[in-house]
Amino acid sequence: MKLLILNGPNLNLLGIREPNIYGKETYTDLCERIRAYADQKGIDVRLVQSNHEGALVDAIQAAYFDGLDGIVINPGAYTHTSIALLDAIKGVNLPTVEVHISDPDTREEFRKISYLRAACIATVKGRGTQGYLE
Ligand code: CA2
């Protein structure tokens, strides 16, 4: 099994700012932890982070064209704005899980809407970076 683990804007800043919300682990630490866990499970992972909406769409499409089996996505703030990412996930029809480190439903009003949720088979939120492994 091969999965795309896709992270959106500013998630490369993990561990650098706002540790009270997003924890102390850096993006590099997170990637290493995901890779080690996936190795144990015999899962091959493609780890991608981008601050650009179009690059995230390209990564979703590449997962489809390259025959990957599913997607784990933390779309960052594009969660709350991006019909393009919703359409990309619907378009490739790969099983996709939405992950949020924090629980956006308990934060500001504008974080309560997820455009992507409708296209995802599950949402994991508020579990810290452990949520990626779940
Ligand atoms: O809780 C999550 O994982 C979010 O997807 C994170 C997004 C936020 O816009 C969503 O509402 C919820 C923000 C990611 C930014 O990450 C940072 C990490 C460290 C320092 C600054 C930003």
Side-chain angles (χ1 to χ4, degrees):
M1 182 187 291
K2 184 159 183 170
L3 300 178
L4 170 65
I5 316 295
L6 187 56
N7 277 286
N10 296 309
L11 284 153
N12 56 318
L13 297 180
L14 277 179
I16 298 174
R17 289 197 45 238
E18 303 199 74
N20 51 321
I21 303 176
Y22 301 115
K24 287 187 186 160
E25 195 174 30
T26 65
Y27 177 69
T28 305
D29 294 339
L30 174 61
C31 289
E32 281 170 9
R33 201 148 65 91
I34 291 171
R35 214 173 266 294
Y37 183 77
D39 278 354
Q40 272 177 31
K41 299 274 174 193
I43 298 169
D44 202 358
V45 286
R46 176 184 290 180
L47 291 148
V48 177
Q49 187 276 330
S50 178
N51 296 323
H52 302 277
E53 190 173 19
L56 296 169
V57 171
D58 287 345
I60 292 166
Q61 291 190 9
Y64 170 75
F65 288 121
D66 294 342
L68 272 61
D69 300 291
I71 300 171
V72 173
I73 183 169
N74 183 344
Y78 288 137
T79 306
H80 319 299
T81 63
S82 181
I83 298 167
L85 289 179
L86 168 67
D87 287 346
I89 292 168
K90 279 188 174 169
V92 300
N93 200 27
L94 290 173
T96 299
V97 175
E98 177 190 23
V99 174
H100 297 287
I101 298 167
S102 67
D103 181 354
D105 292 328
T106 63
R107 299 177 62 191
E108 302 95 327
E109 276 305 305
F110 60 80
R111 293 188 202 275
K112 291 184 180 162
I113 290 177
S114 166
Y115 281 92
L116 280 78
R117 196 167 298 173
C120 293
I121 57 168
T123 298
V124 179
K125 58 188 176 73
R127 308 279 299 144
T129 52
Q130 183 66 21
Y132 288 84
L133 306 189
E134 289 175 15

